[in-house]
Structure formats: structure tokens, C-alpha cells
């Protein structure tokens, strides 16, 4: 199989990258390990698109342009939601995972992207400083895919790992979270419902009926409607990058969610009708290893709101570090400001035709705690897709920088 651009991973970044490359005139194959697209936005039922808006205390004001804004607005229309203001002037957009998936499929098909679902890359062939072939395990056979340029949106720097080139790693990453949907929530004002949920859980812990870890349960703001809403259960243990840790996450998260709902239904009169409607397909792992780019995004870049001359994507969400505490450590930069992700953070330091975006971009652990959110993944994905298409066409990705900037950094309307 041959194409101009191969995109690995059909999460928010991969969707954007594939559409960007196709719109740039490239033939595109998008490889996804699941039987559906959307990545954690659908499989982990994230429920909110963060990173779209500036932080301010008034109405939500878009910080992003181009694909990130347009796609999110269409998902908003399908979800029948409105932006929500959280603490410290943060705004985000609640959405329905099915609406996200529906919009993604529609735009991928319109762009002419070829999808390979239920498929994953199991090996790569490298020659002369490039990836020359991808070995893909499909449902019942092995496919050899040859592409002029590859965009890694796997979330864990999969291609850098398979090619045995340098990655950004550490012993522990941020703690994960598990999302599930419930029905039977009482008709209370959102803040009152959130506070009561904390009280109900604490009462169960104090009585010895619930484990202390259950205190990490919360209602995802803006997702409750007609008694149905999304609950998020944070994992207490940091992620160590191993399959054993992931396995334990999955076992603990599901059993603990059932335990909590059973307790609340049996012990709190207001929750006598509470029941689980759906559970996420997977635990949401926030960060994993990342690829090493020509440049590396770090905390100082974010807090100073740096805007490099080769900036190709906008970041507007603060640094949000989830550790062993119940709530995250939030590190803010200036209100009504943003930072730019440079093209060099999306281009491999080691392989000429490898690009990356989303949670796999070149960033420190503290920096990716800002750049990993869906809104920023859209922007870095779209930029990486255009860079890859330009490389596949002319062999010089730098030519795409001004084109990307015109679309999503400082377009004429802004």
C-alpha cells in the first residue's frame, strides 16, 4: 500500500492531521487501533474540549482559529451545548462523544482520507534517516504501508519507539482518570450537585463503606442534563508507563465505579435511582513518552507566552498537573494571552520524514500538561498534517509554515 502521508492514531490530533494533509493535496491513510475514531475524546468519554478559549472572567473568547475552532463549533451544534466557565476564568466546551465521532467521520470522508481501523503499527523500516515502510497488523493480515511522510499521533511516541530513536521519558507520568455516565442524578443546581456529591462520597468514606480513593470522584462540569451526566474518577497512583499499571487501572477503575454507585443508590435517598448507563472504553491516560523534536516545548515557554517566528499552533490552557492529590496543580499564565507551538516541536530530530502532534509532540512533562488538551491537539495536529504534506510534495516542510500561520495563527479575521 502506498500513500503520500500516513497518520498514526485517529484521536483529535490525528483527525486534524489527516484532514490537513488531504486538504493540502496529499493522499492520506489514517491508521487507528480501535474500530472507531476520536481517540480519548470518544474512547475515554472525556466530555469537554479544553484549550479553545482565552482565560478571562467575562464571556468565552476563542483563542484558536481554523480547524480547531470550526470542528469544535460543529461538535457543539450536534451536542446542543454551550461553553462553560470554570474556576479562574477558564472556559471549556462540553460535548457528546457520539457527536464528536459523527463529525470526525463526516469530515474525514469528505476530505477523502482512507481509514484503516482495527489496525496498529507493529514495526517500522528505517533507511537513510527516514521511515521507508510501516508494518501494520490489521484484523487478519499484515499490511506494508509505504508513505513519503508520517505523522505520529499515537499519544505515546510509538513510531520513535519502534524506530529506536530518542524519546522524552520519565519514571512516572501524570495520574489517569476514568469516566462513566450515570442516570438518576437529582435536579439540583450544578454547583450544589457537585458539592453534594463530594459530601455523599465523604460520608461513605467516614462510615468505612467506601475506600479513601473514592474521594477522587467528581462530576464533569457542564455534562449533566435531565438527570444524566458524566462522572470522572481520578486514579491515585501515578502512571509508570507499564502495561501492568494500565491493567490495574482498568480493573480498579471499573470495580470502584460500580462500588461507588451501588453505595450511593443504597445509602443516599436523593440517589435512589442512580445507575450506570455507560463506561468509557479505556482509562484516560493523560501523558506518556513523547518524541524528540528539533525543539522542545517547556514550562518557561508556556508561562512567558512565547510566540516564536515559526509558531504554527496556539496553546491557551494552563499547565494542569494531575498527581496523587485529589485536585490538580494549576499553573496559570497571563489572562487573555496564549503561547505558540513552533514547527520544530512537531518535526523529528532523528528521522527526516517523521512528524508528530497531540500528546506525542516534543515537550517536557510539565509542558505537555498544558498542550495535551483537545483544543491544542487539534491545532498541533493540523499543523503537523500540513508540514507532512509539504514534505511529501517538495521535501521541504519549512515551506508550509507561512501557510499554516495564515490558517490558524494570525488569519486575516484576527
Amino acid at each position: 500500500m502506498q500513500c503520500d502521508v500516513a497518520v498514526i492514531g485517529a484521536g483529535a490530533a490525528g483527525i486534524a492531521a489527516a484532514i490537513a494533509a488531504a486538504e493540502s493535496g496529499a493522499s492520506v491513510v489514517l491508521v487507528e487501533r480501535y474500530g472507531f475514531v476520536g481517540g480519548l475524546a470518544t474512547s475515554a468519554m472525556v466530555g469537554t474540549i479544553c484549550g479553545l478559549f482565552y482565560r478571562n472572567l467575562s464571556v468565552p473568547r476563542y483563542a484558536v482559529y481554523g480547524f480547531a475552532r470550526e470542528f469544535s463549533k460543529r461538535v457543539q451544534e450536534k451536542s446542543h451545548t454551550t461553553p462553560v466557565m470554570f474556576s479562574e476564568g477558564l472556559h471549556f466546551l462540553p460535548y457528546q462523544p457520539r457527536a464528536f465521532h459523527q463529525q470526525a467521520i463526516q469530515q474525514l470522508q469528505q476530505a477523502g482520507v482512507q481509514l484503516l481501523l482495527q489496525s496498529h503499527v507493529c514495526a517500522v523500516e528505517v533507511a537513510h534517516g527516514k521511515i521507508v515502510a510501516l508494518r501494520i497488523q490489521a484484523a487478519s493480515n499484515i499490511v506494508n504501508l509505504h508513505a513519503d511522510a508520517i505523522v505520529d499521533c499515537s499519544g505515546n511516541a510509538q513510531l520513535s519507539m519502534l524506530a529506536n530513536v530518542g524519546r522524552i521519558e520519565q519514571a512516572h507520568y501524570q495520574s489517569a482518570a476514568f469516566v462513566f455516565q450515570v442516570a438518576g442524578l437529582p435536579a439540583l443546581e450544578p454547583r450544589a450537585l457537585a458539592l453534594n456529591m463530594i459530601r455523599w462520597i465523604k460520608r461513605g468514606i467516614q462510615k468505612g463503606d467506601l475506600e479513601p480513593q473514592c474521594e477522587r470522584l467528581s462530576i464533569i462540569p457542564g455534562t449533566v442534563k435531565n438527570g444524566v451526566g458524566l462522572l470522572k474518577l481520578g486514579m491515585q497512583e501515578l502512571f509508570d508507563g507499564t502495561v501492568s499499571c494500565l491493567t490495574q487501572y482498568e480493573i480498579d477503575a471499573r470495580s470502584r465505579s460500580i462500588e461507588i454507585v451501588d453505595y450511593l443508590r443504597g445509602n443516599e435517598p436523593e440517589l435512589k435511582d442512580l445507575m450506570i448507563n455507560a463506561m468509557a472504553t479505556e482509562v484516560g491516560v493523560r501523558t506518556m513518552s513523547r518524541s524528540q523534536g528539533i525543539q522542545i516545548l517547556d514550562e518557561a515557554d508556556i508561562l512567558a507566552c512565547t510566540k516564536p517566528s515559526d509558531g504554527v499552533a496556539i496553546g491557551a490552557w494552563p499547565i494542569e498537573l494531575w498527581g496523587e492529590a485529589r485536585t490538580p496543580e494549576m499553573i496559570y499564565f497571563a489572562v487573555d494571552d496564549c503561547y505558540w507551538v513552533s514547527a520544530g516541536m512537531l518535526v523529528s530530530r532523528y528521522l527526516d520524514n517523521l512528524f508528530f502532534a497531540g500528546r506525542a509532540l516534543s515537550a517536557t512533562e510539565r509542558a505537555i500538561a498544558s498542550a495535551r488538551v483537545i483544543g491544542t491537539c487539534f491545532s498541533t495536529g493540523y499543523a503537523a498534517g500540513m508540514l507532512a504534506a509539504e514534505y511529501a510534495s517538495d521535501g521541504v516542510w519549512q515551506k508550509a509554515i507561512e501557510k499554516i500561520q495564515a490558517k490558524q495563527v494570525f488569519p486575516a479575521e484576527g
Side-chain angles (χ1 to χ4, degrees):
M1 183 180 288
Q2 179 76 44
C3 65
D4 297 325
V5 176
V7 180
I8 310 305
I15 291 164
I19 291 171
E23 289 179 347
S24 300
S27 58
V28 182
V29 173
L30 176 56
V31 181
E32 169 54 44
R33 61 181 174 133
Y34 286 130
F36 53 87
V37 303
L40 294 180
T42 49
S43 66
M45 299 170 63
V46 173
T48 58
I49 300 177
C50 300
L52 297 174
F53 308 105
Y54 288 109
R55 183 169 70 96
N56 61 68
L57 297 175
S58 58
V59 297
R61 184 167 67 91
Y62 276 99
V64 299
Y65 301 98
F67 178 87
R69 184 191 296 198
E70 294 158 8
F71 185 95
S72 299
K73 281 187 173 181
R74 294 188 180 115
V75 172
Q76 177 183 351
E77 291 170 4
K78 286 182 168 64
S79 300
H80 305 290
T81 58
T82 56
V84 171
M85 186 171 81
F86 197 46
S87 62
E88 303 293 333
L90 291 176
H91 296 82
F92 55 80
L93 179 66
Y95 70 92
Q96 293 293 332
R98 64 178 179 273
F100 192 105
H101 181 268
Q102 180 186 11
Q103 186 60 41
I105 286 293
Q106 180 181 332
Q107 289 193 224
L108 287 166
Q109 290 178 334
Q110 288 174 346
V113 173
Q114 181 178 352
L115 277 168
L116 290 184
L117 299 178
Q118 300 284 9
S119 304
H120 69 275
V121 180
C122 56
V124 301
E125 182 182 344
V126 177
H128 309 295
K130 297 180 182 180
I131 295 176
V132 296
L134 302 170
R135 193 168 175 82
I136 297 172
Q137 175 68 62
S140 60
N141 64 319
I142 297 290
V143 175
N144 288 311
L145 176 61
H146 302 272
D148 296 318
I150 301 101
V151 185
D152 186 349
C153 298
S154 63
N156 63 353
Q158 182 183 16
L159 297 191
S160 293
M161 177 184 65
L162 291 173
N164 197 29
V165 297
R167 290 177 292 154
I168 301 170
E169 301 178 273
Q170 48 268 333
H172 291 91
Y173 303 88
Q174 294 185 58
S175 60
F178 182 69
V179 176
F180 57 101
Q181 185 185 70
V182 297
L185 291 168
L188 297 173
E189 184 271 331
R191 180 169 173 78
L193 180 60
L195 291 174
N196 273 307
M197 184 62 71
I198 293 172
R199 295 191 187 100
W200 292 324
I201 295 294
K202 283 187 174 180
R203 192 145 54 205
I205 294 172
Q206 290 167 354
K207 290 164 58 179
D209 293 333
L210 292 176
E211 301 171 285
Q213 295 93 323
C214 296
E215 190 177 13
R216 299 172 72 88
L217 183 82
S218 62
I219 298 172
I220 298 179
T223 66
V224 178
K225 186 176 182 180
N226 299 325
V228 177
L230 296 179
L231 304 187
K232 178 170 67 176
L233 178 64
M235 302 292 100
Q236 187 171 25
E237 303 81 9
L238 295 175
F239 178 51
D240 65 7
T242 65
V243 68
S244 61
C245 184
L246 278 176
T247 301
Q248 199 60 50
Y249 272 167
E250 296 286 358
I251 294 170
D252 292 347
R254 296 171 199 282
S255 60
R256 195 166 294 150
S257 300
I258 294 170
E259 172 193 348
I260 290 172
V261 170
D262 286 348
Y263 165 79
L264 293 174
R265 183 174 57 244
N267 291 272
E268 299 294 343
E270 299 96 327
L271 300 175
K272 60 183 177 61
D273 298 321
L274 191 68
M275 62 179 292
I276 295 176
N277 272 354
M279 285 186 167
T281 305
E282 63 177 325
V283 169
V285 175
R286 293 184 168 96
T287 59
M288 296 190 191
S289 64
R290 296 167 299 283
S291 302
Q292 282 194 16
I294 296 171
Q295 297 172 317
I296 299 177
L297 180 69
D298 64 25
E299 181 179 11
D301 295 322
I302 293 172
L303 297 184
C305 294
T306 56
K307 298 176 178 63
S309 60
D310 64 340
V312 290
I314 289 175
W317 194 253
I319 295 172
E320 180 182 352
L321 290 160
W322 286 86
E324 296 178 342
R326 180 182 180 276
T327 57
E329 176 188 1
M330 303 294 291
I331 306 170
Y332 300 95
F333 46 84
V335 297
D336 292 313
D337 208 346
C338 62
Y339 61 92
W340 294 354
V341 177
S342 70
M345 297 166 185
L346 309 179
V347 181
S348 175
R349 180 182 301 179
Y350 304 103
L351 299 168
D352 293 345
N353 65 340
L354 176 61
F355 304 83
F356 24 77
R359 294 183 300 133
L361 71 83
S362 180
T364 65
E365 179 71 3
R366 294 179 73 84
I368 202 66
S370 164
R372 67 175 178 78
V373 296
I374 294 175
T376 312
C377 286
F378 281 147
S379 296
T380 58
Y382 199 86
M386 288 189 68
L387 292 169
E390 190 71 40
Y391 180 88
S393 174
D394 289 341
V396 184
W397 54 263
Q398 290 89 341
K399 291 182 180 180
I401 292 175
E402 289 188 3
K403 300 175 189 176
I404 300 167
Q405 290 176 334
K407 282 182 174 288
Q408 64 175 25
V409 178
F410 38 77
E413 67 171 281

